[in-house]
Amino acid sequence: QVQLVESGGGLVQPGGSLRLLCAASGSIGSINTMDWYRQAPGKQRELVAVFTSGGNTNYADSVKGRFTISRDNAKNTVYLQMNSLKPEDTAVYYCNADIRTRFGSHISSYWGQGTRVTVSS
């Protein structure tokens, strides 16, 4: 069994910063891509940032230059550093990872429970 647990959300003023963390645990064989998504009230879930197993990153246009995704493979952890936050960044942020379990033969997609980020003065 695999779990993803996010932390680091909270209330921050516009222009402020937050750092989100997502740790994967359980019967993990290997992790491919680790991503961050977000879902704002009344909107669909959208992809924010991607970190592939090969070390490549990609960002939504709306966060380029402000957000940075990083990864610690030894800790099975992915981070999202969010700077210059705007009210429109307010959302629940979800971690997603494509994981092969220790005795599994295929890769499955796992989700965390989400962490809420509110940007408001």
Side-chain angles (χ1 to χ4, degrees), residues 6-77:
E6 301 105 331
S7 61
L11 173 64
V12 64
Q13 291 187 341
S17 298
L18 282 175
R19 189 188 193 211
L20 306 183
L21 178 155
C22 170
S25 62
S27 181
I28 296 172
S30 61
I31 303 178
N32 288 1
T33 301
M34 299 187 83
D35 313 323
W36 285 97
Y37 286 74
R38 68 185 180 187
Q39 187 165 17
K43 295 188 176 182
Q44 288 189 332
R45 192 171 296 190
E46 64 173 352
L47 180 62
V48 175
V50 175
F51 199 115
T52 71
S53 58
N56 296 314
T57 60
N58 201 7
Y59 299 90
D61 287 343
S62 59
V63 307
K64 279 181 182 176
R66 299 187 299 120
F67 290 11
T68 302
I69 188 170
S70 60
R71 181 169 166 174
D72 186 336
N73 291 327
K75 296 181 179 179
N76 292 331
T77 299

Side-chain angles (χ1 to χ4, degrees), residues 60-112:
D61 287 343
S62 59
V63 307
K64 279 181 182 176
R66 299 187 299 120
F67 290 11
T68 302
I69 188 170
S70 60
R71 181 169 166 174
D72 186 336
N73 291 327
K75 296 181 179 179
N76 292 331
T77 299
V78 65
Y79 305 90
L80 187 67
Q81 178 66 43
M82 305 186 295
N83 299 328
S84 303
L85 282 161
K86 305 175 181 180
E88 51 263 43
D89 295 318
T90 295
V92 177
Y93 284 71
Y94 296 91
C95 175
N96 173 260
D98 294 333
I99 296 174
R100 184 190 305 275
T101 57
R102 193 162 295 159
F103 303 105
S105 61
H106 60 277
I107 296 171
S108 298
S109 182
Y110 294 87
W111 290 89

